[in-house]
Amino acid sequence: MSRSDETIESDDIQMDAPSVVAELDAKPRLFTTSWWWRWALGTCFARITEPMATLALISLGTYVSGYAYGAFLVSVYVLTGALTATASGKALDRARNPRQMVMIMTVSSFLLHVALALAGTFRLSSVAITATTALCAALPGGLPGLSRSVLVKYADARVMKTALSWDSIMTEVGWILGPVAIAGLSLLGLPWVEVVAMAVTFLGVSLFLGPLVGAAPAEARPQHEKAESASASESGSLWSYRLARPSLVDSISVGMAVTGIVSALPILLSQAGASSSWSGILVSVLAGTGIAGTLCYGKAAGRITVHITVQSFITLFGVIASVVGLAFSDSPVWMAIWVGISGFFITPFNTQRSISLEASIPASLHTQGFSAQFALFGLGSAISAGMLALISDVPSALLAIGVISLSISAATNAAVRKQIVASMNDQARK
């Protein structure tokens, strides 16, 4: 190498050094980025639709044929969404133009929900209303998972735990605001307005989340993270990733627990001599303590050295313990305490299983994987509701829910124990 070449190389190093140092020293941003608030608003719209459906469809079905039909429409909506979420997420992952796919999904979902509102208003045949309800839930099933995969693409890897903590919080916000919004609209006495409000949420997803779908900005991740993402081109089957299985199967367990708690509250309160109407307030307590628990976990996560999959199983144990505690509660005060404890564990657990899944699968499977979590949560909810229907004694049903949900998660975590230990050893060597 000539002297001039050495000089040029030396100059290049000196010129590049400040930028390298700046990149290493730069603090990752989250709340001050331009995309964050678009994501937060889009995610709120994506997560609020199902909570709104729990009341809006009951109102519409009651107007058409009675309360039982309204409850049936809710079950159709929730179950169909759960069954199609994974396939919908897979379609978004594999779409050549995912932004266009989101536009098609959201606009079509808006039109379908408007059609459902009209069908109910004019009291068309129950077959037509039921079929439209199923279509309304089936088409956009992957959108909640999409919002999480967009966050993973855009957030700097160094603030990923904080970002996913806020993702869990947004879910709780949806469950607080959704029923409140429908309860307010119900004062108008026009069921179709409530369903149209559900339709509008899809326009919010399209407006705020749609522009973020696609490639993340170049500055979103540190350089070594970009290289890792680029090398993860082989996706394969979602279930072929063994370390991802606990975060998927645990979704069934937490779905069973949440539905068991919420569904059992009205009966347990009545048996304790309190008004069943207090159950709505206790559900708000669950959501509120969930947000508090997530914020606490976000501050402590960086100091926890336990593998994330093990963390989530320990937190799930806290959730199941609160279900068992609720089963033995004989006063409204103790019920409120156990509901608050359950919330404190449930939302951080949702954060942990999202972190675990994100770290266990390639980026090309993120939307499908996160959508599968929502789908399996719905499956767990359906199982729990069925057990409460079949077992007449509610405390016994809660105990059965606790034992079964903990057993399936324990078995899944035990099956991948060797992979977890190996992963921990690899991290220790790094």
Side-chain angles (χ1 to χ4, degrees):
M1 180 184 295
S2 67
R3 179 63 182 172
S4 60
D5 290 338
E6 292 177 2
T7 303
I8 292 172
E9 184 176 353
S10 176
D11 290 342
D12 288 341
I13 292 174
Q14 289 176 359
M15 290 173 64
D16 289 342
S19 62
V20 172
V21 172
E23 182 176 350
L24 293 174
D25 291 342
K27 293 182 179 180
R29 298 182 301 165
L30 188 62
F31 305 114
T32 58
T33 56
S34 59
W35 61 266
W36 168 259
W37 297 107
R38 278 182 171 273
W39 174 86
L41 289 169
T43 297
C44 186
F45 281 114
R47 304 283 171 83
I48 201 174
T49 312
E50 186 175 322
M52 293 172 77
T54 57
L55 294 179
L57 293 181
I58 283 181
S59 180
L60 186 71
T62 302
Y63 173 78
V64 173
S65 181
Y67 177 82
Y69 183 60
F72 173 71
L73 289 182
V74 173
S75 65
V76 168
Y77 193 90
V78 174
L79 185 59
T80 305
L83 291 175
T84 59
T86 304
S88 180
K90 187 175 183 179
L92 286 165
D93 273 332
R94 296 188 174 184
R96 291 186 177 181
N97 190 336
R99 187 173 299 181
Q100 186 179 50
M101 177 69 79
V102 171
M103 178 66 72
I104 293 172
M105 276 189 175
T106 53
V107 173
S108 299
S109 297
F110 170 79
L111 295 175
L112 280 170
H113 281 74
V114 171
L116 176 61
L118 293 173
T121 299
F122 292 104
R123 291 177 174 169
L124 301 183
S125 72
S126 59
V127 174
I129 294 173
T130 303
T132 306
T133 300
L135 288 173
C136 283
L139 184 62
L143 292 181
L146 173 70
S147 68
R148 188 171 290 166
S149 68
V150 168
L151 177 65
V152 169
K153 277 187 178 181
Y154 275 74
D156 189 290
R158 291 166 289 179
V159 292
M160 187 61 68
K161 290 182 179 179
T162 301
L164 288 172
S165 293
W166 278 96
D167 175 84
S168 297
I169 288 174
M170 295 306 296
T171 301
E172 299 301 328
V173 168
W175 278 97
I176 293 174
L177 296 181
V180 170
I182 295 300
L185 291 172
S186 66
L187 298 176
L188 298 174
L190 301 171
W192 65 268
V193 173
E194 301 169 33
V195 180
V196 170
M198 292 172 57
V200 172
T201 63
F202 294 101
L203 299 183
V205 173
S206 180
L207 178 63
F208 294 107
L209 196 62
L212 298 179
V213 175
E219 67 274 12
R221 290 169 176 261
Q223 193 63 37
H224 70 281
E225 291 291 335
K226 297 177 201 172
E228 289 180 7
S229 297
S231 64
S233 57
E234 297 182 2
S235 56
S237 168
L238 177 63
W239 291 93
S240 65
Y241 295 87
R242 290 176 62 86
L243 276 177
R245 294 176 188 175
S247 61
L248 293 169
V249 174
D250 287 351
S251 299
I252 300 176
S253 299
V254 75
M256 292 179 65
V258 171
T259 300
I261 292 170
V262 174
S263 300
L265 280 176
I267 300 175
L268 292 175
L269 286 167
S270 297
Q271 292 176 350
S275 172
S276 60
S277 62
W278 281 94
S279 59
I281 296 175
L282 291 186
V283 171
S284 297
V285 169
L286 186 149
T289 56
I291 293 174
T294 303
L295 293 174
C296 291
Y297 174 72
K299 290 184 176 295
R303 296 188 292 271
I304 301 175
T305 58
V306 180
H307 191 276
I308 189 64
T309 305
V310 179
Q311 286 183 43
S312 64
F313 181 69
I314 294 172
T315 309
L316 177 63
F317 190 84
V319 175
I320 303 304
S322 63
V323 174
V324 175
L326 184 64
F328 287 103
S329 299
D330 56 2
S331 73
V333 174
W334 275 108
M335 291 177 195
I337 290 173
W338 284 114
V339 168
I341 292 173
S342 69
F344 192 81
F345 283 107
I346 285 171
T347 314
F349 169 75
N350 290 334
T351 300
Q352 290 166 341
R353 66 190 173 102
S354 296
I355 295 171
S356 177
L357 184 63
E358 185 273 334
S360 303
I361 59 176
S364 57
L365 289 176
H366 277 161
T367 304
Q368 180 183 349
F370 292 134
S371 297
Q373 284 187 324
F374 283 99
L376 292 169
F377 180 95
L379 175 61
S381 296
I383 293 172
S384 184
M387 293 177 67
L388 285 167
L390 293 173
I391 303 175
S392 58
D393 183 57
V394 174
S396 298
L398 286 176
L399 290 175
I401 288 169
V403 170
I404 293 174
S405 59
L406 184 62
S407 297
I408 61 176
S409 287
T412 307
N413 279 268
V416 298
R417 180 177 175 275
K418 291 183 179 179
Q419 284 75 16
I420 294 173
V421 172
S423 178
M424 292 175 67
N425 292 336
D426 289 342
Q427 291 178 2
R429 282 195 292 269
K430 291 179 181 179

